[in-house]
Amino acid sequence: MLDVSDPAAWIAFDADVRGMSLRWDELGAGAGRVALDLCSYDGRVRQAALRRVSGYPELLPLVVIRCSDWAAPVREVARRLLRDVLPRLDAAELAALAPVLLRVGRRERGVFGVELLRDGVSGVAGERLVALLGHADPVVRRFACRIAVDEHVLPTGQLARTAALDSDVVVQNLCADAALAGIGEGRGSGAGTGTGTGAYLDVVSVLLGARNPRVRSAGVTALRRVGRAEAARAFLADRSALVRACARYVLRQGGADPLPVYQEWCADPGDAALPPGAAIGLAECGSRTDAALLLPLLAHSVPAVRARAVAGLRLLDVAGTERLRILMDDPAPAVAREASVALLSSARQLPTEWLTARIGPERPRHTRVAAFRLLCAQGGAAQLAAAAALLDDPDAKLRRRAEQITQGRRD
């Protein structure tokens, strides 16, 4: 069936009808006949069909497609029709057509519809622009966000909330950058303006609570601009390396050294509340002498802390082979994975028999994966023997990788 809400479906419909491989009567007898003619090989038939399409508003997506038609007479008729119809569409109707307009706009002659759409929503933050900003299609939201940002039609507070809540990375970045620029330029935030408390509460605090690391990092960096550099301390142990780096930068710019904070956090290996990011953060800004604080964390009760401690020791290049071998049998997949990554450089020094014993079917999947990674790093007969042993492994990914190796192929 043709999904009329899917822009790709209309484009595929256009191509499929030309090959007579799609049932055009899914649209109904009348509309289906016009739709078929709109997609005809004969340009004169397509042009004539455009003059009959006014009674079938559901076929507007095909009119948009014909606006990029290779035949100039067909394009001209389609464009006149679209130029006349588009201003009369309400917000919901325009939003429904927007995905097709934007995707056809990528074609060589498709920019006409995009320009019409831009003209139809530019100038004010009215219903039309709001409908596009809340569209389910991220391509449409990106388009609307760029207009809203360029024309400064949204308050910085709303931009910040969009950055924090939207699922699309491009929209997140656009809105976060615009929200912070709005603080610097003193534009309204919805609850305050300028660089004081209002801007902090309504913009920066929203960015700091975002799930996306890029958005959180933008909020952390802005702490210094709004006079709250000390608040960056709370983000030194963030789960994102980017956010941690920004927090250290902000603290240093404010005259504080983040290293003693990390050292204090990691000093007690029995602290069950230790944030995992503290271990890797210590390694990111510390020296090899700080490994003494990370080693006890390899036995921490929280798996994420153990995993980050392994990653930190690898970063400092002080992780001993024997210590890491023990962690290959850790019950936590993240710990075994980090241990295997840290052991890659010394994989040839590990006993092949010891690793082979860990790819047996009685072992947990994560242990088999970690051991297989190291056997592959050993190469040669060890790799081939391990691959042969895993050809019947219950895990599909391991089997596939084993098959590729035995067949002499690589990803």
Side-chain angles (χ1 to χ4, degrees):
M1 290 291 292
L2 175 66
D3 181 1
V4 296
S5 65
D6 181 3
W10 282 108
I11 294 171
F13 181 85
D14 178 44
D16 286 346
V17 168
R18 292 186 183 196
M20 301 297 288
S21 62
L22 183 69
R23 286 184 54 205
W24 52 268
D25 59 354
E26 290 176 1
L27 292 167
R33 182 69 253 176
V34 176
L36 180 61
D37 289 346
L38 283 171
C39 303
S40 170
Y41 280 112
D42 190 330
R44 290 169 297 183
V45 174
R46 297 198 301 277
Q47 184 176 356
L50 286 168
R51 304 187 190 282
R52 295 156 37 217
V53 80
S54 59
Y56 305 103
E58 66 271 29
L59 298 185
L60 269 178
L62 290 178
V63 175
V64 173
I65 293 173
R66 295 283 72 82
C67 286
S68 64
D69 199 282
W70 64 269
V74 178
R75 286 201 308 274
E76 291 171 3
V77 174
R79 290 178 179 184
R80 284 199 301 270
L81 181 60
L82 189 64
R83 189 185 295 112
D84 179 60
V85 170
L86 208 63
R88 300 203 301 266
L89 299 179
D90 61 29
E93 292 168 337
L94 185 66
L97 193 62
V100 182
L101 287 163
L102 294 175
R103 281 167 175 79
V104 172
R106 299 169 183 170
R107 297 181 174 183
E108 182 180 356
R109 294 175 291 268
V111 71
F112 175 83
V114 177
E115 291 175 347
L116 275 185
L117 179 61
R118 182 178 290 109
D119 292 342
V121 298
S122 295
V124 294
E127 288 185 13
R128 287 181 155 206
L129 183 58
V130 171
L132 298 190
L133 288 169
H135 204 285
D137 189 332
V139 174
V140 177
R141 296 202 305 278
R142 293 174 188 177
F143 175 82
C145 277
R146 289 189 176 98
I147 293 176
V149 167
D150 291 344
E151 299 185 0
H152 307 307
V153 296
L154 295 179
T156 53
Q158 184 175 343
L159 287 168
R161 288 187 290 276
T162 301
L165 298 175
D166 200 279
S167 60
D168 183 70
V169 174
V170 175
V171 173
Q172 293 167 358
N173 293 343
L174 280 170
C175 290
D177 291 342
L180 295 178
I183 296 177
E185 297 169 8
R187 294 199 299 272
S189 66
T193 60
T195 60
T197 303
Y200 173 78
L201 294 178
D202 198 40
V203 176
V204 179
S205 62
V206 174
L207 299 179
L208 292 175
R211 295 184 61 183
N212 178 266
R214 168 66 178 79
V215 177
R216 285 202 309 282
S217 69
V220 170
T221 304
L223 287 170
R224 179 167 171 260
R225 188 185 306 174
V226 296
R228 302 292 185 93
E230 71 283 355
R233 187 180 190 274
F235 295 88
L236 287 174
D238 193 273
R239 61 185 180 274
S240 164
L242 175 62
V243 177
R244 293 193 300 271
C246 289
R248 291 193 292 269
Y249 167 79
V250 171
L251 286 176
R252 288 175 181 136
Q253 292 297 305
D257 184 3
L259 181 58
V261 179
Y262 284 123
Q263 292 170 333
E264 179 184 352
W265 283 344
C266 296
D268 181 9
D271 181 10
L274 177 67
I280 187 65
L282 174 60
E284 288 167 343
C285 71
S287 63
R288 300 187 73 178
T289 59
D290 292 303
L293 293 173
L294 293 179
L295 287 171
L297 297 181
L298 296 178
H300 198 275
S301 60
V302 178
V305 174
R306 298 199 300 276
R308 292 302 182 93
V310 174
L313 290 169
R314 176 169 58 88
L315 191 61
L316 295 173
D317 196 24
V318 293
T321 302
E322 290 305 314
R323 292 192 185 96
L324 295 179
R325 277 182 61 183
I326 297 173
L327 295 175
M328 288 283 292
D329 294 323
D330 195 281
V335 178
R337 180 173 59 250
E338 288 291 350
S340 66
V341 172
L343 286 167
L344 279 174
S345 60
S346 56
R348 293 180 180 274
Q349 302 171 21
L350 297 172
T352 300
E353 297 79 6
W354 182 84
L355 287 172
T356 301
R358 278 151 181 78
I359 63 171
E362 74 282 357
R363 299 280 182 168
R365 179 190 181 276
H366 66 269
T367 302
R368 301 200 310 279
V369 171
F372 189 39
R373 177 184 290 119
L374 294 173
L375 286 164
C376 289
Q378 288 187 344
Q383 181 185 29
L384 288 174
L390 291 173
L391 287 175
D392 295 323
D393 193 88
D395 183 78
K397 289 185 178 180
L398 270 175
R399 286 200 311 273
R400 179 173 176 271
R401 178 60 178 152
E403 290 168 359
Q404 290 173 334
I405 292 173
T406 55
Q407 294 172 8
R409 294 188 285 114
R410 294 182 180 180
D411 283 332

